[in-house]
Amino acid sequence: MSSLAALRQSNKGLVNKFKESNAKEQSGGSRANDDRYWKPTFNKEKGSGSAVIRFLPVCEAETGDLPCIKIHSHAFRGATGKWYIEKSLSSIGRKDDPVGLLNSALWNSGVDSDKEHARTQKRQTKYYANILVIKDPANPANEGKVKIFEFGPAIYKIIQEKMTPEQIEGDDYIEPVNIFDIDSGADLAIRMVGHKMKNSQGQDTVVPNYDKSEFKASSPLCGGDDAKIEKVWAQCHPLRPLVDPTQFKSVEALQARLVEVLGPVVGSGIATIPGTTHRVQAEYENKPVQHTPRPAPTPAPVEDVAVDYDDSGLDFLKDI
């Protein structure tokens, strides 16, 4: 069986995989200097931006995997003025992420201010998939290249609605579209419109809203030319390395950073940084610890309008 034939066979059940994982629960460094990654350019002065892309299957070595992965992270500034910007261990299926455990303790403390504190530290999610850049007006040099697209829940929701459309009784049946399929997928026309809002410092800012983005009609990749498809597919980047455990910090390192950003006691004083009790006591044994409410952290600025960073309702991808 040829490589493309194997890919086509593998893609047949992808829509069902998305449906099956719909109910399942399952970033670190800068991408600025890594030319594998792509994001559409939003012109804040004009309040607009656009691009056309085509989602691609995973590279040949990862055939059979889901073609999109997600990485959870936390980004907030604590009362110390320092920032906590780290990938969450929940991205790789672990339940011992310090911020996740701390947020659970704050949420269950019975104190309203603790719940608000937890909200400012809640999980953010970014998604990653291979794409072919078809049109990039802001950076035409990207056109025709295969990139890793980093995107948020707003774009993810558009994908979900295309692959698992809501079927309303009495209406015509809406055919699911596997947007990653090389034969029956569809190009995505990204349209960004400026949305005014307040940033975390209370200042006016303009951020992109993706509501006008939509998939075009289904069509074969590269006009159905298998030779061109092979060439494009050969350029797809492996996604597994992004969620390799070695790319995540240890629990101990995350705990240490959390103490540095928040201090040893948070919220109403009921919650302490998970797993750090003895170390914190040793470091602070000669210093008074205030068991009074502390200022809640400042969440990171919002970049993606219509994004609910508590994204439990968008988990139809499973971890690879």
Side-chain angles (χ1 to χ4, degrees):
M1 182 181 294
S2 70
S3 297
L4 281 184
L7 174 62
R8 288 184 169 106
Q9 184 63 34
S10 173
N11 270 342
K12 284 184 178 179
L14 188 58
V15 168
N16 286 333
K17 283 185 180 180
F18 272 67
K19 288 181 179 178
E20 290 168 3
S21 58
N22 192 30
K24 295 183 180 179
E25 174 48 282
Q26 50 104 236
S27 74
S30 170
R31 309 291 186 195
N33 298 318
D34 191 336
D35 65 3
R36 294 177 302 162
Y37 292 87
W38 178 89
K39 291 181 72 174
T41 300
F42 175 66
N43 188 317
K44 281 192 173 184
E45 293 183 359
K46 294 182 178 179
S48 63
S50 65
V52 179
I53 63 173
R54 175 72 175 236
F55 285 95
L56 301 171
V58 292
C59 64
E60 185 172 2
E62 296 176 357
T63 298
D65 290 352
L66 286 171
C68 181
I69 64 168
K70 60 183 174 182
I71 295 178
H72 304 301
S73 63
H74 297 276
F76 53 85
R77 182 167 58 187
T80 64
K82 297 180 179 180
W83 281 88
Y84 182 95
I85 303 176
E86 303 289 351
K87 291 185 289 188
S88 170
L89 294 173
S90 63
S91 305
I92 52 176
R94 292 179 54 173
K95 298 181 179 180
D96 54 352
D97 183 76
V99 179
L101 293 174
L102 175 59
N103 282 350
S104 179
L106 288 168
W107 192 263
N108 294 312
S109 72
V111 180
D112 287 343
S113 61
D114 284 357
K115 286 188 176 183
E116 186 57 36
H117 189 120
R119 287 190 182 98
T120 64
Q121 301 175 166
K122 63 185 176 182
R123 208 172 58 175
Q124 304 175 16
T125 304
K126 288 293 184 183
Y127 301 87
Y128 301 84
N130 279 289
I131 61 158
L132 174 64
V133 181
I134 297 173
K135 289 187 68 67
D136 186 351
N139 298 285
N142 288 324
E143 295 176 3
K145 294 182 179 179
V146 174
K147 300 283 187 177
I148 296 176
F149 181 25
E150 176 188 270
F151 55 99
I155 291 291
Y156 186 82
K157 186 176 182 181
I158 295 171
I159 295 173
Q160 182 186 33
E161 290 172 347
K162 193 69 173 178
M163 293 194 68
T164 57
E166 181 182 5
Q167 307 294 346
I168 300 176
E169 187 175 355
D171 288 357
D172 291 338
Y173 176 75
I174 303 175
E175 189 71 34
V177 176
N178 176 5
I179 56 97
F180 299 95
D181 191 81
I182 60 175
D183 297 315
S184 59
D187 298 346
L188 174 64
I190 297 175
R191 296 187 180 91
M192 296 175 285
V193 178
H195 174 83
K196 291 183 179 180
M197 62 178 297
K198 299 287 186 181
N199 63 17
S200 54
Q201 284 73 47
Q203 302 167 327
D204 289 330
T205 188
V206 177
V207 295
N209 181 287
Y210 294 87
D211 286 352
K212 293 186 180 298
S213 300
E214 61 181 356
F215 281 100
K216 298 183 178 182
S218 294
S219 63
L221 177 65
C222 300
D225 185 321
D226 279 5
K228 291 181 179 179
I229 294 173
E230 287 271 17
K231 186 176 180 179
V232 168
W233 189 34
Q235 299 175 58
C236 285
H237 306 277
L239 298 179
R240 285 180 191 167
L242 300 182
V243 286
D244 189 287
T246 61
Q247 300 303 305
F248 293 78
K249 292 184 179 179
S250 67
V251 170
E252 293 74 19
L254 294 174
Q255 288 169 341
R257 181 58 184 168
L258 200 50
V259 170
E260 188 177 358
V261 171
L262 295 180
V265 180
V266 297
S268 64
I270 294 174
T272 58
I273 306 301
T276 62
T277 304
H278 298 299
R279 192 174 65 78
V280 168
Q281 285 178 344
E283 290 181 3
Y284 291 85
E285 58 186 356
N286 296 318
K287 301 178 184 179
V289 176
Q290 288 293 110
H291 290 272
T292 53
R294 301 183 58 176
T298 302
V302 175
E303 297 179 355
D304 195 354
V305 171
V307 169
D308 179 359
Y309 283 138
D310 183 12
D311 65 326
S312 57
L314 295 173
D315 287 325
F316 73 95
L317 283 178
K318 62 183 178 182
D319 291 326
I320 61 174

PDB file of all heavy atoms in Angstrom, residues 51-54 134-135 158 162 177 179 184-191 213-219:
ATOM      1  N   ALA A  51      -6.095  35.712   6.163  1.00  0.00           N
ATOM      2  CA  ALA A  51      -5.207  34.695   5.602  1.00  0.00           C
ATOM      3  C   ALA A  51      -6.078  33.536   5.152  1.00  0.00           C
ATOM      4  O   ALA A  51      -7.249  33.415   5.558  1.00  0.00           O
ATOM      5  CB  ALA A  51      -4.179  34.223   6.621  1.00  0.00           C
ATOM      6  N   VAL A  52      -5.533  32.679   4.308  1.00  0.00           N
ATOM      7  CA  VAL A  52      -6.206  31.444   3.904  1.00  0.00           C
ATOM      8  C   VAL A  52      -5.222  30.308   4.119  1.00  0.00           C
ATOM      9  O   VAL A  52      -4.071  30.374   3.668  1.00  0.00           O
ATOM     10  CB  VAL A  52      -6.658  31.471   2.435  1.00  0.00           C
ATOM     11  CG1 VAL A  52      -7.327  30.149   2.056  1.00  0.00           C
ATOM     12  CG2 VAL A  52      -7.618  32.639   2.192  1.00  0.00           C
ATOM     13  N   ILE A  53      -5.673  29.268   4.819  1.00  0.00           N
ATOM     14  CA  ILE A  53      -4.800  28.135   5.127  1.00  0.00           C
ATOM     15  C   ILE A  53      -5.537  26.828   4.870  1.00  0.00           C
ATOM     16  O   ILE A  53      -6.765  26.801   4.745  1.00  0.00           O
ATOM     17  CB  ILE A  53      -4.312  28.163   6.591  1.00  0.00           C
ATOM     18  CG1 ILE A  53      -5.510  28.043   7.551  1.00  0.00           C
ATOM     19  CG2 ILE A  53      -3.510  29.427   6.872  1.00  0.00           C
ATOM     20  CD1 ILE A  53      -5.116  27.885   9.019  1.00  0.00           C
ATOM     21  N   ARG A  54      -4.784  25.754   4.815  1.00  0.00           N
ATOM     22  CA  ARG A  54      -5.356  24.412   4.676  1.00  0.00           C
ATOM     23  C   ARG A  54      -4.752  23.539   5.758  1.00  0.00           C
ATOM     24  O   ARG A  54      -3.533  23.406   5.860  1.00  0.00           O
ATOM     25  CB  ARG A  54      -5.029  23.832   3.302  1.00  0.00           C
ATOM     26  CG  ARG A  54      -5.460  22.381   3.082  1.00  0.00           C
ATOM     27  CD  ARG A  54      -6.972  22.259   2.937  1.00  0.00           C
ATOM     28  NE  ARG A  54      -7.350  20.892   2.615  1.00  0.00           N
ATOM     29  CZ  ARG A  54      -8.063  20.557   1.536  1.00  0.00           C
ATOM     30  NH1 ARG A  54      -8.466  21.483   0.682  1.00  0.00           N
ATOM     31  NH2 ARG A  54      -8.397  19.294   1.321  1.00  0.00           N
ATOM     32  N   ILE A 134      -1.843  29.226   2.243  1.00  0.00           N
ATOM     33  CA  ILE A 134      -2.277  29.489   0.869  1.00  0.00           C
ATOM     34  C   ILE A 134      -2.187  30.978   0.541  1.00  0.00           C
ATOM     35  O   ILE A 134      -1.655  31.370  -0.492  1.00  0.00           O
ATOM     36  CB  ILE A 134      -3.702  28.959   0.651  1.00  0.00           C
ATOM     37  CG1 ILE A 134      -3.706  27.430   0.838  1.00  0.00           C
ATOM     38  CG2 ILE A 134      -4.220  29.340  -0.741  1.00  0.00           C
ATOM     39  CD1 ILE A 134      -5.080  26.822   0.817  1.00  0.00           C
ATOM     40  N   LYS A 135      -2.709  31.811   1.437  1.00  0.00           N
ATOM     41  CA  LYS A 135      -2.605  33.262   1.259  1.00  0.00           C
ATOM     42  C   LYS A 135      -2.237  33.898   2.595  1.00  0.00           C
ATOM     43  O   LYS A 135      -2.870  33.607   3.613  1.00  0.00           O
ATOM     44  CB  LYS A 135      -3.915  33.861   0.735  1.00  0.00           C
ATOM     45  CG  LYS A 135      -4.229  33.518  -0.717  1.00  0.00           C
ATOM     46  CD  LYS A 135      -5.448  34.291  -1.226  1.00  0.00           C
ATOM     47  CE  LYS A 135      -5.166  35.781  -1.347  1.00  0.00           C
ATOM     48  NZ  LYS A 135      -4.164  36.072  -2.410  1.00  0.00           N
ATOM     49  N   ILE A 158     -14.283  26.732  15.681  1.00  0.00           N
ATOM     50  CA  ILE A 158     -14.710  26.705  14.281  1.00  0.00           C
ATOM     51  C   ILE A 158     -14.420  25.334  13.669  1.00  0.00           C
ATOM     52  O   ILE A 158     -15.218  24.790  12.896  1.00  0.00           O
ATOM     53  CB  ILE A 158     -13.993  27.825  13.492  1.00  0.00           C
ATOM     54  CG1 ILE A 158     -14.431  29.195  14.015  1.00  0.00           C
ATOM     55  CG2 ILE A 158     -14.294  27.723  11.997  1.00  0.00           C
ATOM     56  CD1 ILE A 158     -13.630  30.354  13.450  1.00  0.00           C
ATOM     57  N   LYS A 162     -17.214  22.375  12.360  1.00  0.00           N
ATOM     58  CA  LYS A 162     -17.165  21.825  11.010  1.00  0.00           C
ATOM     59  C   LYS A 162     -17.076  20.297  11.048  1.00  0.00           C
ATOM     60  O   LYS A 162     -17.708  19.600  10.241  1.00  0.00           O
ATOM     61  CB  LYS A 162     -15.954  22.385  10.260  1.00  0.00           C
ATOM     62  CG  LYS A 162     -15.969  22.134   8.755  1.00  0.00           C
ATOM     63  CD  LYS A 162     -17.050  22.928   8.062  1.00  0.00           C
ATOM     64  CE  LYS A 162     -16.956  22.818   6.537  1.00  0.00           C
ATOM     65  NZ  LYS A 162     -18.041  23.550   5.861  1.00  0.00           N
ATOM     66  N   VAL A 177     -17.393  17.386   8.109  1.00  0.00           N
ATOM     67  CA  VAL A 177     -16.282  17.512   7.172  1.00  0.00           C
ATOM     68  C   VAL A 177     -14.972  17.316   7.922  1.00  0.00           C
ATOM     69  O   VAL A 177     -14.692  18.024   8.890  1.00  0.00           O
ATOM     70  CB  VAL A 177     -16.277  18.889   6.481  1.00  0.00           C
ATOM     71  CG1 VAL A 177     -15.053  19.034   5.588  1.00  0.00           C
ATOM     72  CG2 VAL A 177     -17.552  19.095   5.673  1.00  0.00           C
ATOM     73  N   ILE A 179     -11.712  18.248   8.087  1.00  0.00           N
ATOM     74  CA  ILE A 179     -10.953  19.341   7.480  1.00  0.00           C
ATOM     75  C   ILE A 179      -9.470  19.003   7.305  1.00  0.00           C
ATOM     76  O   ILE A 179      -8.734  19.741   6.640  1.00  0.00           O
ATOM     77  CB  ILE A 179     -11.143  20.650   8.275  1.00  0.00           C
ATOM     78  CG1 ILE A 179     -10.766  20.485   9.742  1.00  0.00           C
ATOM     79  CG2 ILE A 179     -12.583  21.111   8.156  1.00  0.00           C
ATOM     80  CD1 ILE A 179      -9.390  20.930  10.074  1.00  0.00           C
ATOM     81  N   SER A 184     -11.095  15.490   0.851  1.00  0.00           N
ATOM     82  CA  SER A 184     -12.389  16.130   1.105  1.00  0.00           C
ATOM     83  C   SER A 184     -12.327  17.214   2.171  1.00  0.00           C
ATOM     84  O   SER A 184     -13.346  17.624   2.712  1.00  0.00           O
ATOM     85  CB  SER A 184     -13.422  15.076   1.526  1.00  0.00           C
ATOM     86  OG  SER A 184     -12.993  14.402   2.705  1.00  0.00           O
ATOM     87  N   GLY A 185     -11.116  17.690   2.484  1.00  0.00           N
ATOM     88  CA  GLY A 185     -10.976  18.766   3.458  1.00  0.00           C
ATOM     89  C   GLY A 185     -11.415  20.097   2.877  1.00  0.00           C
ATOM     90  O   GLY A 185     -12.031  20.160   1.808  1.00  0.00           O
ATOM     91  N   ALA A 186     -11.095  21.169   3.561  1.00  0.00           N
ATOM     92  CA  ALA A 186     -11.525  22.494   3.102  1.00  0.00           C
ATOM     93  C   ALA A 186     -10.540  23.553   3.578  1.00  0.00           C
ATOM     94  O   ALA A 186      -9.947  23.432   4.650  1.00  0.00           O
ATOM     95  CB  ALA A 186     -12.924  22.812   3.629  1.00  0.00           C
ATOM     96  N   ASP A 187     -10.372  24.585   2.759  1.00  0.00           N
ATOM     97  CA  ASP A 187      -9.531  25.716   3.146  1.00  0.00           C
ATOM     98  C   ASP A 187     -10.247  26.551   4.199  1.00  0.00           C
ATOM     99  O   ASP A 187     -11.477  26.681   4.168  1.00  0.00           O
ATOM    100  CB  ASP A 187      -9.224  26.608   1.938  1.00  0.00           C
ATOM    101  CG  ASP A 187      -8.454  25.875   0.846  1.00  0.00           C
ATOM    102  OD1 ASP A 187      -7.921  24.777   1.125  1.00  0.00           O
ATOM    103  OD2 ASP A 187      -8.402  26.397  -0.283  1.00  0.00           O
ATOM    104  N   LEU A 188      -9.469  27.127   5.109  1.00  0.00           N
ATOM    105  CA  LEU A 188     -10.042  28.022   6.111  1.00  0.00           C
ATOM    106  C   LEU A 188      -9.668  29.461   5.767  1.00  0.00           C
ATOM    107  O   LEU A 188      -8.488  29.811   5.663  1.00  0.00           O
ATOM    108  CB  LEU A 188      -9.511  27.693   7.509  1.00  0.00           C
ATOM    109  CG  LEU A 188      -9.940  28.659   8.628  1.00  0.00           C
ATOM    110  CD1 LEU A 188     -11.448  28.621   8.832  1.00  0.00           C
ATOM    111  CD2 LEU A 188      -9.212  28.347   9.933  1.00  0.00           C
ATOM    112  N   ALA A 189     -10.690  30.296   5.564  1.00  0.00           N
ATOM    113  CA  ALA A 189     -10.474  31.724   5.347  1.00  0.00           C
ATOM    114  C   ALA A 189     -10.522  32.403   6.709  1.00  0.00           C
ATOM    115  O   ALA A 189     -11.577  32.473   7.346  1.00  0.00           O
ATOM    116  CB  ALA A 189     -11.552  32.294   4.422  1.00  0.00           C
ATOM    117  N   ILE A 190      -9.365  32.874   7.162  1.00  0.00           N
ATOM    118  CA  ILE A 190      -9.273  33.534   8.465  1.00  0.00           C
ATOM    119  C   ILE A 190      -9.527  35.023   8.276  1.00  0.00           C
ATOM    120  O   ILE A 190      -8.863  35.689   7.481  1.00  0.00           O
ATOM    121  CB  ILE A 190      -7.884  33.322   9.096  1.00  0.00           C
ATOM    122  CG1 ILE A 190      -7.656  31.832   9.366  1.00  0.00           C
ATOM    123  CG2 ILE A 190      -7.749  34.126  10.395  1.00  0.00           C
ATOM    124  CD1 ILE A 190      -6.254  31.518   9.879  1.00  0.00           C
ATOM    125  N   ARG A 191     -10.500  35.528   9.009  1.00  0.00           N
ATOM    126  CA  ARG A 191     -10.798  36.958   8.971  1.00  0.00           C
ATOM    127  C   ARG A 191     -10.819  37.470  10.412  1.00  0.00           C
ATOM    128  O   ARG A 191     -11.606  37.008  11.230  1.00  0.00           O
ATOM    129  CB  ARG A 191     -12.149  37.214   8.293  1.00  0.00           C
ATOM    130  CG  ARG A 191     -12.178  36.795   6.827  1.00  0.00           C
ATOM    131  CD  ARG A 191     -13.478  37.216   6.157  1.00  0.00           C
ATOM    132  NE  ARG A 191     -13.504  36.815   4.753  1.00  0.00           N
ATOM    133  CZ  ARG A 191     -13.991  35.639   4.325  1.00  0.00           C
ATOM    134  NH1 ARG A 191     -14.478  34.781   5.199  1.00  0.00           N
ATOM    135  NH2 ARG A 191     -13.974  35.348   3.045  1.00  0.00           N
ATOM    136  N   SER A 213     -14.389  34.176  10.498  1.00  0.00           N
ATOM    137  CA  SER A 213     -13.609  33.140   9.813  1.00  0.00           C
ATOM    138  C   SER A 213     -14.519  31.979   9.461  1.00  0.00           C
ATOM    139  O   SER A 213     -15.433  31.639  10.216  1.00  0.00           O
ATOM    140  CB  SER A 213     -12.470  32.654  10.707  1.00  0.00           C
ATOM    141  OG  SER A 213     -11.606  33.721  11.048  1.00  0.00           O
ATOM    142  N   GLU A 214     -14.273  31.346   8.307  1.00  0.00           N
ATOM    143  CA  GLU A 214     -15.117  30.225   7.912  1.00  0.00           C
ATOM    144  C   GLU A 214     -14.391  29.313   6.925  1.00  0.00           C
ATOM    145  O   GLU A 214     -13.481  29.737   6.212  1.00  0.00           O
ATOM    146  CB  GLU A 214     -16.416  30.727   7.287  1.00  0.00           C
ATOM    147  CG  GLU A 214     -16.217  31.554   6.036  1.00  0.00           C
ATOM    148  CD  GLU A 214     -17.523  32.063   5.447  1.00  0.00           C
ATOM    149  OE1 GLU A 214     -18.590  31.693   5.981  1.00  0.00           O
ATOM    150  OE2 GLU A 214     -17.492  32.814   4.460  1.00  0.00           O
ATOM    151  N   PHE A 215     -14.818  28.068   6.918  1.00  0.00           N
ATOM    152  CA  PHE A 215     -14.268  27.107   5.966  1.00  0.00           C
ATOM    153  C   PHE A 215     -14.964  27.271   4.616  1.00  0.00           C
ATOM    154  O   PHE A 215     -16.166  27.494   4.549  1.00  0.00           O
ATOM    155  CB  PHE A 215     -14.457  25.675   6.473  1.00  0.00           C
ATOM    156  CG  PHE A 215     -13.448  25.278   7.506  1.00  0.00           C
ATOM    157  CD1 PHE A 215     -13.777  25.308   8.855  1.00  0.00           C
ATOM    158  CD2 PHE A 215     -12.172  24.870   7.141  1.00  0.00           C
ATOM    159  CE1 PHE A 215     -12.845  24.944   9.819  1.00  0.00           C
ATOM    160  CE2 PHE A 215     -11.232  24.508   8.094  1.00  0.00           C
ATOM    161  CZ  PHE A 215     -11.576  24.547   9.436  1.00  0.00           C
ATOM    162  N   LYS A 216     -14.183  27.145   3.556  1.00  0.00           N
ATOM    163  CA  LYS A 216     -14.734  27.163   2.212  1.00  0.00           C
ATOM    164  C   LYS A 216     -15.308  25.786   1.877  1.00  0.00           C
ATOM    165  O   LYS A 216     -15.262  24.868   2.696  1.00  0.00           O
ATOM    166  CB  LYS A 216     -13.642  27.550   1.213  1.00  0.00           C
ATOM    167  CG  LYS A 216     -13.067  28.950   1.432  1.00  0.00           C
ATOM    168  CD  LYS A 216     -12.047  29.297   0.366  1.00  0.00           C
ATOM    169  CE  LYS A 216     -11.507  30.704   0.531  1.00  0.00           C
ATOM    170  NZ  LYS A 216     -10.534  31.056  -0.546  1.00  0.00           N
ATOM    171  N   ALA A 217     -15.841  25.634   0.682  1.00  0.00           N
ATOM    172  CA  ALA A 217     -16.393  24.337   0.263  1.00  0.00           C
ATOM    173  C   ALA A 217     -15.282  23.287   0.206  1.00  0.00           C
ATOM    174  O   ALA A 217     -14.106  23.609  -0.033  1.00  0.00           O
ATOM    175  CB  ALA A 217     -17.049  24.479  -1.103  1.00  0.00           C
ATOM    176  N   SER A 218     -15.645  22.035   0.436  1.00  0.00           N
ATOM    177  CA  SER A 218     -14.672  20.939   0.389  1.00  0.00           C
ATOM    178  C   SER A 218     -14.019  20.860  -0.983  1.00  0.00           C
ATOM    179  O   SER A 218     -14.674  21.054  -2.011  1.00  0.00           O
ATOM    180  CB  SER A 218     -15.356  19.610   0.700  1.00  0.00           C
ATOM    181  OG  SER A 218     -15.816  19.594   2.036  1.00  0.00           O
ATOM    182  N   SER A 219     -12.721  20.566  -0.963  1.00  0.00           N
ATOM    183  CA  SER A 219     -11.972  20.443  -2.216  1.00  0.00           C
ATOM    184  C   SER A 219     -10.700  19.653  -1.948  1.00  0.00           C
ATOM    185  O   SER A 219     -10.180  19.654  -0.829  1.00  0.00           O
ATOM    186  CB  SER A 219     -11.618  21.825  -2.773  1.00  0.00           C
ATOM    187  OG  SER A 219     -10.757  22.516  -1.877  1.00  0.00           O
TER     188      SER A 219
END
